[in-house]
């Protein structure tokens, strides 16, 4: 498979997943507002912090109120991680690999983009409906891909993009909640705190699944445990990293648990660490520090992946000697 | 207005031979259209456009950063050609491409046609498309132009003419294929009642044509389609054809010359490429030989090609046969190389570089169509009958400054086909571009791309100038 094509499939999936995640946490915040007792100030800044682009936001918009944050994260074409920019990028990548992906995939991503583009111009847009449509469209894309694209190399590059992006976003969401959303000490254990942890679970579609698991009570530690270390929940970081590793080994053919390339090694180490961690280890080292380190390691995996497979640095061109 | 009452007016109409009287072979189509209300027809037309937009059958994708895209407007009333008439056209097209191929081999080889004085030497050597670098090139199987498209028109009396030969990178065949697909869901009943020659084999024939160029010693050749990238206006077509053939779509940055071969960068290292269908013009293909500033091509490609380790479609240098001055000599070429009379006529053409003809052109600018010898897409053109005095004066100055670059032709009264404009069928002027593949043998798409001037009275059918297209049915 062409390196450029693998790269495009990987990013196409990453961008769709990113758009979905942005829709998720903006949506949850909107819902949260409706539940908040009167007098509690609206918490919009943490949302921008989740993206890691607070500085850029403040420069452009100033105050972090609902309108500004939603516009920035949803329809700002000048911001490269807004939903509309993500879909534009996803579609550009899809366009450049149209002949590789199924036409159904292309049609879905094209329709998805046009849907968001039309919504951007809709003055009377209902944001809650819009965000659930975005989530749905992303799931539809994943489903169509799964059902219509051959599950070979290209497919696995796509999966890696999706899983890595999801792991990254889950880590950011947990991080922000723990350090920013957590109000003053006197609020810990109150209704407000409960609501926010529920919101956090909801933003990762984890609420119902969490309740069904072992301990049903909602405590910060067990929520963090669920979202970071759960073995079976498809948005937990550990699960995502495991799946990334699986796809990587499908591509390289290297036996799982062993490695030949730099990316296999750093991903394998990360996966093994997560396999043998307990939430108490995590809390002891500090959740924020742990997540920070995790994000760094996931970035490193992304870089190594790119070095190993996508690198389009020029190979020295050697002009042939004419035959005859 | 119902189609039954359609009046072809004082034009040759492809569907009607007189008011209210469709040509015999299209009767079932007209009958079907007449059975539908105008609202239903509009509805189907709209559905067809939406389907094309959803499939992303778009062009001119990037005129701004927000990705404005247009579909090439599609009219659901097809243009038809009787199979008996098509046979003659097909024969004429094969004869023409054969002669043009002889010409290319000759001008880059022994140059007999020049030495024998059939075509003036300075016309050939001054052509922008003539590439010195291709002298003595021996393309695989001796074929130069594997994929071409020729623009045909009909005059008022129904006579066919060749308007242009396109031997570089003619585009539009994807519209033929997708247009046909849409028509099958738009007017399925008509397909049951009429015998319409299929066009769907085109991608298979194209792949065969390309495989034919691979060096003989290679068992399982790798064919790729080279595109300038997603910002090119024909990108949809590039990607569509690659997909339909199941070959890789590559960009210049995916390719590199290494160990004497052209190779592509894959996730598992470099992989040899044996045949390229390139949709990039000659001058951008290889910065070492042509334009050093081009980023689209691959340094060293020409040398690999010369060494016989790579098939290239079309060969380099075919643009010389595309030149509108050279076009004027095609009937002579056919006589010279094949010893036959041309089956298809040229439009009478005045060559501005000949002083006597130049005077005639300048004196009659208001009657003539003047075209730049090396432009395409309807650019660099003057339509005398629709021009102002000032435009004619400006053009006269351009012609006098560079007479070699211009030809002039009488304004033809292009044939028409009814097309839906608003809630009426209006007669609109059309041309026709059949696609020709030259491999082990010569294949011509039955029909081709019918471009239609969707502005009332307009004679310009180019997509870049507000034209649309129709499906073309060769019917028996």
């Amino acid at each position: 498979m062409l390196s450029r094509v693998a790269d495009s499939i990987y990013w196409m999936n990453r961008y769709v997943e990113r758009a979905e995640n942005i829709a998720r946490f903006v949506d949850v915040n909107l819902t949260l507002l409706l539940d908040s007792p009167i007098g509690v100030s609206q918490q919009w800044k943490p949302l921008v912090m989740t993206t890691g682009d607070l500085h850029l936001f403040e420069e452009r918009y100033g105050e972090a109120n609902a309108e500004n944050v939603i516009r920035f994260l949803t329809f700002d074409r000048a911001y490269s991680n807004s939903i509309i920019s993500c879909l534009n990028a996803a579609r550009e990548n899809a366009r450049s690999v149209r002949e590789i992906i199924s036409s159904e995939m292309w049609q879905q991503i094209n329709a998805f983009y046009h849907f968001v583009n039309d919504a951007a111009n809709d003055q009377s847009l209902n944001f809650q409906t819009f965000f659930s449509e975005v989530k749905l469209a992303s799931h539809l894309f994943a489903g169509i891909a799964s059902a219509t694209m051959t599950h070979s190399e290209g497919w696995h590059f796509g999966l890696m993009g999706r899983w890595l992006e999801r792991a990254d976003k889950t880590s950011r969401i947990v991080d922000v909640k723990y350090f920013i959303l957590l109000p003053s000490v006197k609020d810990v254990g109150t209704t407000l705190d409960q609501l926010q942890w529920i919101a956090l679970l909801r933003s990762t579609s984890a609420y119902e699944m969490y309740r069904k698991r072992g301990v049903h009570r909602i405590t910060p530690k067990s929520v963090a445990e669920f979202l970071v270390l759960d073995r079976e929940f498809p948005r937990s970081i550990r699960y995502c990293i495991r799946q990334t590793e699986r796809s990587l080994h499908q591509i390289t053919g290297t036996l799982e648990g062993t490695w030949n390339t730099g990316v296999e090694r750093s991903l394998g180490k990360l996966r093994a660490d997560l396999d043998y961690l307990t939430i108490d280890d995590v809390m002891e080292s500090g959740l924020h520090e742990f997540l920070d380190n995790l994000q760094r390691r996931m970035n490193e995996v992304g870089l190594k992946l790119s070095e190993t497979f996508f690198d389009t640095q020029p190979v020295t061109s050697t002009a042939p000697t004419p035959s005859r | 207005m119902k189609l039954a009452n359609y009046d072809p007016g004082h034009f040759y109409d492809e569907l009607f031979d007189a008011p209210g009287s469709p040509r015999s072979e299209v009767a079932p189509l007209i009958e079907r259209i007449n059975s539908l209300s105008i609202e239903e027809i509009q509805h189907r037309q709209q559905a067809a456009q939406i389907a094309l937009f959803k499939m992303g059958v778009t062009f001119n994708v990037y005129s701004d950063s927000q990705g404005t895209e247009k579909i090439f407007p599609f009219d659901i009333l097809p243009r038809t050609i009787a199979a008996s008439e098509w046979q003659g056209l097909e024969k004429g097209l094969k004869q023409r491409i054969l002669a043009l191929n002889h010409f290319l081999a000759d001008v880059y080889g022994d140059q007999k046609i020049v030495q024998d004085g059939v075509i003036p030497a300075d016309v050939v050597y001054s052509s922008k498309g003539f590439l010195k670098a291709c002298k003595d090139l021996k393309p695989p199987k001796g074929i130069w132009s594997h994929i071409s498209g020729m623009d045909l028109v009909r005059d008022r009396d129904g006579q066919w003419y060749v308007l242009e030969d396109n031997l570089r990178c003619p585009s539009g065949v994807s519209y033929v294929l997708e247009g046909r697909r849409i028509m099958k869901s738009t007017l399925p009943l008509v397909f049951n009642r009429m015998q319409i020659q299929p066009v769907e084999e085109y991608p298979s024939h194209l792949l065969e044509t390309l495989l034919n160029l691979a060096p003989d010693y290679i068992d399982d050749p790798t064919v790729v389609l080279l595109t300038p990238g997603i910002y090119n206006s024909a990108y949809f077509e590039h990607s569509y054809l690659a997909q339909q053939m199941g070959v890789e779509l590559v960009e210049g940055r995916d390719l590199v010359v290494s160990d004497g071969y052209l190779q592509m960068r894959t996730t598992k290292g470099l992989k040899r490429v044996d045949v390229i269908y390139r949709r990039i013009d000659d001058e951008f293909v290889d910065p070492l030989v042509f334009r050093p500033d081009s980023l689209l091509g691959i340094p060293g490609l020409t040398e690999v090609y010369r060494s016989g380790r790579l098939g290239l479609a079309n060969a380099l240098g075919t643009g010389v046969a595309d030149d509108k001055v050279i076009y004027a000599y095609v009937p002579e070429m056919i006589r010279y190389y094949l010893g036959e009379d041309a089956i298809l006529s040229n439009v009478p053409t005045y060559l501005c570089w000949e002083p006597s003809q130049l005077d005639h052109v300048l004196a009659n600018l208001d009657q003539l169509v003047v075209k730049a010898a090396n432009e395409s897409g309807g650019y660099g053109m003057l339509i005398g009958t629709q021009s102002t005095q000032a435009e004619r004066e400006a053009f006269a100055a351009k012609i006098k400054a560079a007479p070699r670059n211009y030809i002039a032709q009488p304004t033809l009264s292009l044939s028409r086909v009814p097309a839906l404009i608003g809630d009426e069928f209006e007669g609109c002027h059309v041309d026709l571009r059949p696609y020709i593949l030259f491999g082990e043998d010569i294949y011509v798409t039955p029909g081709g791309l019918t471009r239609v001037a969707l502005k009332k009275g307009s004679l310009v059918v180019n997509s870049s100038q507000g034209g649309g297209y129709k499906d073309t049915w060769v019917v028996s």
Side-chain angles (χ1 to χ4, degrees), chain A residues 139-261:
Chain A
H139 290 310
L140 188 53
F141 177 71
I144 288 172
S146 170
T148 60
M149 185 177 181
T150 306
H151 289 198
S152 57
E153 197 184 347
W155 159 259
H156 285 292
F157 275 111
L159 279 187
M160 285 203 290
R162 188 167 273 273
W163 292 121
L164 274 179
E165 179 67 23
R166 190 179 289 176
D168 176 76
K169 283 293 170 290
T170 299
S171 79
R172 286 171 191 276
I173 291 170
V174 176
D175 195 18
V176 163
K177 165 63 191 163
Y178 206 77
F179 272 78
I180 316 289
L181 270 188
L182 196 69
S184 60
V185 178
K186 69 175 166 52
D187 286 334
V188 174
T190 64
T191 316
L192 178 59
D193 192 38
Q194 278 269 320
L195 281 175
Q196 291 185 336
W197 283 106
I198 290 172
L200 172 72
L201 285 167
R202 284 234 163 92
S203 72
T204 52
S205 286
Y207 177 69
E208 292 153 36
M209 294 301 145
Y210 176 85
R211 287 287 198 197
K212 286 180 177 56
R213 249 195 109 66
V215 187
H216 311 302
R217 217 174 302 122
I218 291 176
T219 67
K221 193 167 112 179
S222 54
V223 171
E225 181 178 26
F226 187 68
L227 291 178
V228 176
L229 295 178
D230 193 84
R231 211 185 294 245
E232 286 153 353
F233 182 64
R235 309 193 75 85
S236 91
I237 297 170
R238 178 179 176 194
Y239 186 91
C240 293
I241 294 298
R242 249 192 176 288
Q243 294 299 324
T244 312
E245 191 190 30
R246 177 172 292 181
S247 279
L248 177 62
H249 284 265
Q250 288 285 327
I251 291 167
T252 58
T254 309
L255 206 61
E256 280 191 56
T258 66
W259 60 276
N260 280 324
T261 60

Side-chain angles (χ1 to χ4, degrees), chain B residues 162-270:
Chain B
V162 177
L163 191 64
E164 277 178 23
D165 302 293
N166 298 292
L167 287 87
R168 283 173 286 182
C169 306
S171 58
V173 74
S174 57
Y175 297 114
V176 174
L177 299 169
E178 284 297 86
R180 177 62 58 86
R181 218 158 74 102
I182 291 290
M183 285 306 293
K184 284 181 179 167
S185 54
T186 307
L187 293 171
L189 294 179
V190 181
F191 276 83
N192 288 337
R193 290 188 51 199
M194 290 174 79
Q195 283 220 325
I196 303 161
Q197 292 189 13
V199 293
E200 291 81 353
E201 290 106 328
Y202 183 85
S204 311
H205 284 288
L206 179 59
L207 183 61
E208 285 304 327
T209 307
L210 296 170
L211 287 170
N212 187 47
L213 295 181
D216 284 330
Y217 55 87
I218 293 169
D219 281 343
D220 186 14
T222 299
V223 177
V224 301
L225 195 155
L226 175 63
T227 175
I230 62 171
Y231 297 104
N232 186 271
S233 63
Y235 180 75
F236 163 73
E237 176 155 308
H238 305 162
S239 138
Y240 177 82
L241 289 176
Q243 182 188 47
Q244 295 298 308
M245 291 191 286
V247 307
E248 298 274 5
L249 179 68
V250 302
E251 296 177 17
R253 59 191 160 122
D254 298 323
L255 298 174
V256 65
V257 171
S258 180
D259 299 333
Y261 287 93
L262 185 71
Q263 316 230 24
M264 56 185 177
R265 302 167 206 275
T266 78
T267 53
K268 297 188 162 68
L270 294 180

Side-chain angles (χ1 to χ4, degrees), chain B residues 214 329 440:
Chain B
Y329 293 93
E440 227 163 287

